[in-house]
Amino acid sequence: MTQMFSQIEKQISKSWIQYAVEPRIAKLTGRQIRTTGPRIAVMGNCQAFGVAYAMKVMDPSATVHHFSAIGRSRFANFDVLVKTLDTYDYVFSHEFLSGHLRGPGDSAELRQRLPKVTRLPAVTFAAFHPDLIYIQDPTQPLHGFIFGPLGPYHSAIAVFAYRAGLSLEETRAMFNENVFQALGYLDIWNDAARELLETTRNEFDVDLSTDLMKWARRGVFMYSLVHPMSYVLFDLSKLMWEKVGLKPPATDFSYYQIYDLARAEIFPVYPPIAKLFGVQGGYLFKLQNHHLANDVGDFLTLPQYLAACFRTYEKEGAERLGNPRVDAWLADESTKKLLIGLARENLKAGRLPTL
């Protein structure tokens, strides 16, 4: 029966039980409630759970709830969400589109109707995964992406190669340093850092400059463009607390952290890119697995990944594989000729990476 309800509907129900029912039961039974601290709600995308978890670690006495802005509710409407979030002392929210709940209502309307909402920035960073792109599905208005072997994550090189008519071996031969150099993949860091810092500072009034330097010293801190490691979200959570006047305590988060986003797809850091940062790279693509208790999950080598991509692209049809970056490569004859030439040169030289 519970499978009928979406995550946000389950959380709304749980919230009202904890807010309105459990205190009365505790009063009648004499049971002491442990959550005597502030009530905190975190609403948003795939990063929201990690933020909520970090805030709970920072104050175990707090009631911290995660409301997902992924997928759609079956029954709950936007008015119910607003009334539910109004019961919290602090509400942090990512930007989200209308359509997650029944009836109109996006993150801007939520802030308008509930002034206590604090905007929560999402951490995006492209330097480790410059080849990762999305393919928009125009038939799906909300989070509409064409899925491949790694869910919504696609390789721009693979999409280009398929649309250019290259073979699987020629495509595999493109995953070499000379191609990455030609595409500018080895010079992304400054632009990625500037975009992250300027967006969070200008749009959210959050300064991540010190934290970014700290993360960089630890090596790779992203699983993909949009999935940071848990310590990144912990540092962001501390800044958000300071923003609303809460004092983050000294907490050894590393002892309690869980790598929630590691259950999702993980895009590899290609070896020539990893070499720039002094870390281990590879071509091992991890498939999503949100049921670790039942199965250890699976991985794809580069040849396996590319073969699975081509099967997806063959099924979808080239006309549905539009992406601005790939479209630009294909439209520019000099770029197209250069990439195809490098692919064939690498193949002839036997440069065919696997892992």
Side-chain angles (χ1 to χ4, degrees):
M1 183 70 175
T2 56
Q3 297 303 314
M4 292 177 55
F5 301 99
S6 66
Q7 191 278 343
I8 197 168
E9 287 166 333
K10 294 176 185 178
Q11 191 58 69
I12 288 172
S13 175
K14 178 181 179 181
S15 176
W16 281 107
I17 290 173
Q18 289 192 325
Y19 177 71
V21 178
E22 289 186 358
R24 297 181 183 182
I25 295 176
K27 186 175 181 179
L28 291 174
T29 61
R31 181 173 64 88
Q32 186 175 5
I33 296 178
R34 293 195 305 272
T35 52
T36 56
R39 282 174 56 83
I40 299 172
V42 182
M43 169 118 187
N45 59 34
C46 49
Q47 299 181 21
F49 175 85
V51 172
Y53 179 80
M55 290 184 177
K56 180 64 175 180
V57 172
M58 289 193 295
D59 185 357
S61 74
T63 296
V64 185
H65 289 155
H66 161 234
F67 292 82
S68 175
I70 301 175
R72 304 186 186 195
S73 68
R74 294 178 175 86
F75 310 105
N77 60 39
F78 195 75
D79 289 337
V80 171
L81 174 67
V82 173
K83 290 177 182 177
T84 303
L85 295 180
D86 196 27
T87 67
Y88 290 84
D89 301 306
Y90 302 94
V91 180
F92 301 92
S93 176
H94 287 131
E95 299 297 298
F96 61 88
L97 301 173
S98 180
H100 291 288
L101 294 104
R102 294 173 65 86
D106 58 10
S107 53
E109 183 175 347
L110 177 63
R111 294 193 302 272
Q112 183 178 6
R113 295 178 59 178
L114 205 60
K116 71 173 71 176
V117 173
T118 299
R119 297 178 70 202
L120 174 64
V123 177
T124 60
F125 194 76
F128 300 118
H129 309 97
D131 189 42
L132 195 162
I133 60 169
Y134 298 92
I135 303 176
Q136 197 75 33
D137 183 350
T139 67
Q140 300 294 325
L142 186 65
H143 295 306
F145 300 110
I146 290 176
F147 276 47
L150 245 67
Y153 299 162
H154 295 269
S155 157
I157 291 174
V159 176
F160 166 85
Y162 177 83
R163 290 178 58 188
L166 298 184
S167 68
L168 275 171
E169 280 203 327
E170 288 171 329
T171 305
R172 183 175 157 197
M174 292 187 71
F175 287 78
N176 279 286
E177 185 168 359
N178 55 0
V179 173
F180 303 155
Q181 182 70 56
L183 293 175
Y185 283 5
L186 306 182
D187 304 301
I188 299 293
W189 180 274
N190 288 342
D191 287 340
R194 186 181 306 109
E195 181 178 0
L196 173 64
L197 296 179
E198 289 183 356
T199 299
T200 52
R201 182 184 299 113
N202 297 338
E203 297 184 20
F204 298 90
D205 192 27
V206 174
D207 184 3
L208 290 177
S209 54
T210 300
D211 293 285
L212 178 58
M213 288 190 291
K214 181 171 62 175
W215 303 335
R217 286 196 292 268
R218 297 184 64 163
V220 178
F221 55 84
M222 302 289 291
Y223 295 117
S224 70
L225 298 180
V226 294
H227 282 183
M229 295 187 180
S230 55
Y231 58 83
V232 171
L233 298 177
F234 177 73
D235 290 338
L236 174 62
S237 300
K238 290 193 294 184
L239 292 175
M240 299 311 297
W241 266 32
E242 292 170 352
K243 189 174 178 64
V244 299
L246 292 171
K247 185 177 181 181
T251 305
D252 183 9
F253 183 69
S254 63
Y255 190 71
Y256 298 99
Q257 66 184 324
I258 55 175
Y259 291 88
D260 175 64
L261 291 175
R263 299 182 303 159
E265 299 89 351
I266 296 180
F267 210 83
V269 181
Y270 302 160
I273 296 170
K275 184 172 64 176
L276 296 174
F277 307 116
V279 299
Q280 178 74 42
Y283 291 109
L284 195 60
F285 297 78
K286 177 190 171 295
L287 279 62
Q288 69 87 16
N289 177 22
H290 294 279
H291 304 284
L292 293 174
N294 302 324
D295 190 271
V296 296
D298 209 351
F299 297 80
L300 297 175
T301 63
L302 180 59
Q304 292 169 336
Y305 170 72
L306 293 176
C309 286
F310 272 43
R311 288 193 295 270
T312 296
Y313 302 156
E314 184 70 27
K315 180 180 177 181
E316 292 290 341
E319 69 279 358
R320 283 174 52 82
L321 303 179
N323 172 268
R325 186 196 309 177
V326 177
D327 294 345
W329 292 347
L330 289 165
D332 186 276
E333 281 301 322
S334 61
T335 299
K336 181 179 177 181
K337 182 178 180 180
L338 171 63
L339 295 178
I340 292 175
L342 288 172
R344 291 171 177 165
E345 174 188 315
N346 289 339
L347 178 59
K348 186 176 181 179
R351 293 192 283 268
L352 292 171
T354 299
L355 294 174

